[in-house]
């Protein structure tokens, strides 16, 4: 019997992953470095950084740091100008909130997370949210989800995680918590063999539980 739901954010509740990729592409392009999507997906799956591509080409750290700062600006611009809504999310969260306690566990920076959710109403259904600054090690380490478990004072068997990426699934698996993968075209190449359940959209979560 599940009592707690821990949601990933990007790609599960909002469609932001594509725009983070595009922000990286734009920033790296200014260094005359092309970031291929298949390379990025491999990096993303294991929890690496797109800046590995620049490091391999011998770009100095201070130049990379400056471009990362630009990447963050580009990403925030996308967050404010692109459509990142996922249909039906608020409706299903409203229904689930009647029966389950819920939280968002994300590797996003707090500044980006708050920008994403400004006036969106999604966090209204959550008991709390945890961003990358608020636990020791990011996904694929188990720390984020174990921190969520601790904050709820919940048992693993009472909890389920909703993810859309291999990195997030690995985090859930390493934490020993059951994980549902929600279909996302952007992460379809990832290895989800360790997942417990699969759904085509968040709307199916209520039936699954």
């Amino acid at each position: 019997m599940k009592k707690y739901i821990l949601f990933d954010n990007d790609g599960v509740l909002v469609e932001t992953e594509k725009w983070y990729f595009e922000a990286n592409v734009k920033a790296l392009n200014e260094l005359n470095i092309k970031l291929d999507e298949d390379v990025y997906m491999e990096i993303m799956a294991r929890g690496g950084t797109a800046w590995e591509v620049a490091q391999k080409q011998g770009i100095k750290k201070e130049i990379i740091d400056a471009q990362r700062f630009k990447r963050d600006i580009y990403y925030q611009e996308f967050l404010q100008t692109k459509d990142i809504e996922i249909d039906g999310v608020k409706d299903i969260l409203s229904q689930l909130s009647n029966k389950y306690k819920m939280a968002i566990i994300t590797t996003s920076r707090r500044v980006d997370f708050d920008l994403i959710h400004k006036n969106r109403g999604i966090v209204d259904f959550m008991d709390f949210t945890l961003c990358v600054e608020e636990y020791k090690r990011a996904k694929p380490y188990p720390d984020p989800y174990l921190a969520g478990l601790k904050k709820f004072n919940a048992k693993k068997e009472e909890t389920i995680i909703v993810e859309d990426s291999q990195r997030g699934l690995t985090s859930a698996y390493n934490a020993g918590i059951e994980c549902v993968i929600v279909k996302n075209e952007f992460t379809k190449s990832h290895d989800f063999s360790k997942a417990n359940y699969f759904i085509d959209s968040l709307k199916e979560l209520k039936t699954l539980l």
Side-chain angles (χ1 to χ4, degrees):
M1 183 68 179
K2 303 301 181 186
K3 299 178 182 177
Y4 306 93
I5 307 173
L6 304 179
F7 290 95
D8 174 45
N9 183 60
D10 303 283
V12 172
L13 301 176
V14 283
E15 205 61 88
T16 47
E17 286 170 332
K18 176 184 186 296
W19 300 113
Y20 192 68
F21 167 64
E22 293 294 345
N24 278 288
V25 168
K26 188 174 180 179
L28 281 164
N29 189 54
E30 291 173 354
L31 297 177
N32 294 314
I33 297 173
K34 185 176 185 292
L35 179 63
D36 293 321
E37 187 169 333
D38 59 340
V39 172
Y40 179 77
M41 294 311 295
E42 184 274 324
I43 291 170
M44 178 190 174
R46 60 177 163 79
T49 166
W51 300 93
E52 295 170 20
V53 182
Q55 290 164 355
K56 284 179 181 176
Q57 294 199 21
I59 305 294
K60 292 180 179 178
K61 183 181 182 297
E62 55 267 29
I63 295 174
I64 290 175
D65 289 345
Q67 286 305 113
R68 284 181 98 138
F69 182 76
K70 283 188 178 181
R71 184 274 316 275
D72 293 341
I73 292 172
Y74 297 150
Y75 182 50
Q76 292 195 349
E77 287 173 354
F78 287 145
L79 292 178
Q80 294 176 86
T81 57
K82 303 298 183 181
D83 180 13
I84 59 172
E85 292 278 343
I86 296 177
D87 288 342
V89 165
K90 283 176 67 175
D91 287 341
I92 187 63
L93 291 179
S94 177
Q95 294 171 44
L96 290 169
S97 67
N98 294 321
K99 189 175 180 182
Y100 304 94
K101 295 180 79 64
M102 305 187 296
I104 300 173
I105 315 291
T106 178
T107 51
S108 290
R109 300 182 308 156
R110 175 60 67 179
V111 63
D112 295 330
F113 182 87
D114 288 345
L115 184 60
I116 288 167
H117 288 285
K118 185 179 180 182
N119 302 322
R120 202 169 291 280
I122 288 175
V123 295
D124 296 346
F125 299 106
M126 303 295 160
D127 286 77
F128 61 86
T129 62
L130 291 179
C131 292
V132 72
E133 301 92 342
E134 294 153 350
Y135 44 77
K136 190 173 181 181
R137 299 176 299 178
K139 303 171 188 177
Y141 289 100
D143 305 37
Y145 286 121
L146 292 177
L149 214 64
K150 185 177 180 181
K151 204 165 174 65
F152 267 138
N153 194 26
K155 296 177 182 176
K156 292 181 180 182
E157 59 270 22
E158 297 175 324
T159 308
I160 198 157
I161 289 167
V162 185
E163 270 286 355
D164 77 311
S165 74
Q166 184 179 333
R167 177 179 65 180
L169 170 60
T170 304
S171 177
Y173 183 83
N174 288 339
I177 304 169
E178 285 193 339
C179 185
V180 182
I181 292 296
V182 61
K183 186 178 180 181
N184 187 315
E185 280 300 308
F186 192 70
T187 56
K188 64 184 179 183
S189 65
H190 285 194
D191 177 7
F192 295 126
S193 57
K194 292 177 179 176
N196 300 95
Y197 310 99
F198 298 89
I199 54 177
D200 286 329
S201 77
L202 215 57
K203 295 172 185 176
E204 295 175 29
L205 188 58
K206 188 180 177 186
T207 307
L208 174 68
L209 295 172

